[in-house]
Amino acid sequence: MSTTSRRTLLGAAATAPVWGALPYRSARAQAANTIRIGVMNDQSGLYRDLSGPGSTQAVRLAVQESGIAQRGVTVEVIQADHQNRPDVGSTVVRQWIDRDNVDVIVDVPTSSVALAVNTIVRERNKVFLNSGAATSDLTGAQCSPNTIHWTYDTWMLANSTGGAMVAAGGQTWFFITADYAFGHALERDTSAFVRQAGGRILGNVRTPFPGTTDFSSFLLQAQASRAQVIGLANAGGDTINSIKQAAEFGITRRGVRLAGLLVFATDVHALGLQTAQGLVLTETFYWDLNDKTRAFTQRLGAMPNDTRPSMVQAGCYSSVLHYLKAVGEMGVAAAKANGAEAVARMKAMPTSDDAFGEGTIRADGRKLHPAYLFQVKTPEESRGAWDYYKLLQTVPADQAFRPMAAGNCALVRS
């Protein structure tokens, strides 16, 4: 398998001759002044639209807008498909770091892959900017001085979407859960909120990941439990198929509510408003949220498959932009030599960009910004293409994510 599907050279070296033609000393100097960013995600499967090539496009925009080329620094961006498999992802990252001198790993949806990458990056003292993986363990028991968890996590989703569903009367739950680290963490965190609010968990079923498109038997089990809410602890194509098939079976017409615990605008687009209308969901970025998010979307330009940027892709942009600001302050040599020190510098600096606004990074690696509870519009309410959400509630940054003391992160233990 080719671990790098495409390579783009950005910045000062874009017009330079190939390295093989350079004098040895000049080539070494250029390599020492080059930051290499590896974007690893699902390029062809369930998570392609919410991550995939669009994440690489967002990273390239961050490089361009960072102004680091004007400092004489070269940034090289490469990408690879981890196929949602930890073994594939681990192999790619080891080759990138050990053979290709990659300094930063970005995105990595699929929590099982991200947890593997988290370990390797810490061992090699590089930097991991996670945008796509959701497990809150990355700022809990598995926290690392080399990792920042940027965009969202399972605790935030459970707190916002799960809490809203219970408050609206959904007291009994049945979970349809993707059988890997992300699904387990999302079910765990949501179940805790349901129980704290006085609700009950009537059962669950684990679905193969990846490997199933037929959710009929799982939905029928959920319906037979007589739960008021079916919690979908899955994402991407699994969520789309679950919601479509629930509509086909008439489950929601019988008064059962679907809790899409991780739903993206790209999923709503695939479902169509006729099917998705009324869904309550949480995101930390929406392209049409305000003037700044619309400006960012416009600068990003045409996306693959004519989509709009997801919060995962926005997180890739935001995290890389902030990382390059830190590199500008500490210098390329220091950033390349010590990934943990580069992450520490990022934590010490306030964040600011058009995708997420102002924010901070905690000692446990959790990036803080508001979370937004949305409801999907009806077809009649939508004003046009990709006008999908109406805002129900904003959860402030200091309330959106798990309290740091509750995460059991070794970095913040007294």
Side-chain angles (χ1 to χ4, degrees):
M1 178 191 73
S2 174
T3 62
T4 303
S5 56
R6 180 167 51 182
R7 182 168 295 195
T8 299
L9 198 62
L10 298 169
T15 58
V18 295
W19 286 9
L22 293 171
Y24 176 68
R25 184 176 300 173
S26 177
R28 286 187 62 189
Q30 182 169 331
N33 208 38
T34 298
I35 293 290
R36 291 177 175 162
I37 300 174
V39 182
M40 187 168 69
N41 54 35
D42 182 352
Q43 295 279 319
S44 56
L46 291 170
Y47 304 148
R48 183 183 190 278
D49 285 346
L50 63 90
S51 178
S55 289
T56 309
Q57 183 173 332
V59 167
R60 290 178 178 138
L61 178 65
V63 174
Q64 293 167 3
E65 294 188 349
S66 70
I68 202 163
Q70 284 67 52
R71 296 172 177 257
V73 178
T74 298
V75 179
E76 189 178 52
V77 179
I78 62 178
Q79 68 181 18
D81 187 341
H82 61 36
Q83 301 175 35
N84 297 310
R85 291 171 49 187
D87 58 334
V88 173
S90 297
T91 298
V92 170
V93 169
R94 288 192 180 97
Q95 290 179 349
W96 272 357
I97 295 174
D98 297 342
R99 184 191 66 190
D100 300 331
N101 299 314
V102 168
D103 303 293
V104 188
I105 311 299
V106 180
D107 198 6
V108 196
T110 309
S111 291
S112 54
V113 183
L115 289 168
V117 171
N118 184 59
T119 299
I120 296 168
V121 168
R122 183 171 188 168
E123 290 171 351
R124 304 301 203 274
N125 197 18
K126 297 300 182 179
V127 175
F128 177 23
L129 304 178
N130 168 54
S131 185
T135 177
S136 58
D137 292 345
L138 285 168
T139 53
Q142 301 299 319
C143 70
S144 162
N146 299 77
T147 296
I148 297 179
H149 197 158
W150 202 267
T151 307
Y152 70 107
D153 64 33
T154 53
W155 194 98
M156 179 275 290
L157 296 167
N159 176 42
S160 182
T161 307
M165 295 295 289
V166 175
Q171 292 294 303
T172 56
W173 287 60
F174 186 100
F175 287 94
I176 296 177
T177 301
D179 194 10
Y180 74 107
F182 153 69
H184 300 171
L186 187 51
E187 179 188 325
R188 176 199 67 202
D189 291 345
T190 307
S191 295
F193 278 99
V194 171
R195 292 189 177 106
Q196 288 169 16
R200 291 184 298 135
I201 310 302
L202 301 185
N204 71 340
V205 63
R206 300 285 171 83
T207 65
F209 178 87
T212 185
T213 58
D214 183 1
F215 288 83
S216 56
S217 64
F218 310 124
L219 288 163
L220 291 174
Q221 289 181 59
Q223 182 178 253
S225 75
R226 298 187 181 278
Q228 295 169 319
V229 179
I230 300 175
L232 301 178
N234 51 24
D238 284 352
T239 301
I240 292 167
N241 288 328
S242 298
I243 294 173
K244 281 183 176 179
Q245 290 166 30
E248 291 169 2
F249 293 152
I251 289 175
T252 54
R253 292 197 299 273
R254 299 185 182 97
V256 179
R257 302 174 190 175
L258 295 181
L261 297 170
L262 179 55
V263 178
F264 297 87
T266 48
D267 301 330
V268 173
H269 183 74
L271 287 165
L273 290 181
Q274 192 63 44
T275 299
Q277 61 182 309
L279 277 174
V280 175
L281 55 95
T282 300
E283 299 218 44
T284 54
F285 166 87
Y286 173 46
W287 76 272
D288 200 20
L289 182 65
N290 54 45
D291 288 344
K292 288 186 175 182
T293 59
R294 287 186 285 271
F296 160 71
T297 300
Q298 185 174 18
R299 296 198 308 274
L300 192 57
M303 297 286 289
N305 297 331
D306 195 31
T307 63
R308 298 294 185 274
S310 71
M311 65 173 168
V312 169
Q313 292 157 347
C316 291
Y317 164 84
S318 177
S319 60
V320 169
L321 187 67
H322 191 65
Y323 167 77
L324 293 175
K325 289 177 183 176
V327 171
E329 284 199 0
M330 67 190 299
V332 175
K336 290 174 69 68
N338 193 328
E341 182 59 34
V343 167
R345 183 63 64 95
M346 293 176 71
K347 292 177 180 177
M349 302 164 56
T351 66
S352 179
D353 58 78
D354 283 353
F356 295 91
E358 311 301 309
T360 56
I361 304 171
R362 294 191 317 204
D364 61 354
R366 176 68 261 167
K367 163 65 164 58
L368 300 180
H369 41 244
Y372 305 100
L373 185 69
F374 295 110
Q375 186 172 45
V376 177
K377 292 182 175 181
T378 67
E380 293 74 27
E381 290 173 320
S382 177
R383 297 166 298 174
W386 292 90
D387 176 29
Y388 293 154
Y389 293 167
K390 53 186 176 185
L391 181 63
L392 298 180
Q393 179 181 334
T394 299
V395 184
D398 61 350
Q399 300 174 29
F401 296 93
R402 180 179 58 203
M404 187 161 60
N408 198 34
C409 171
L411 301 176
V412 296
R413 289 177 187 158
S414 58

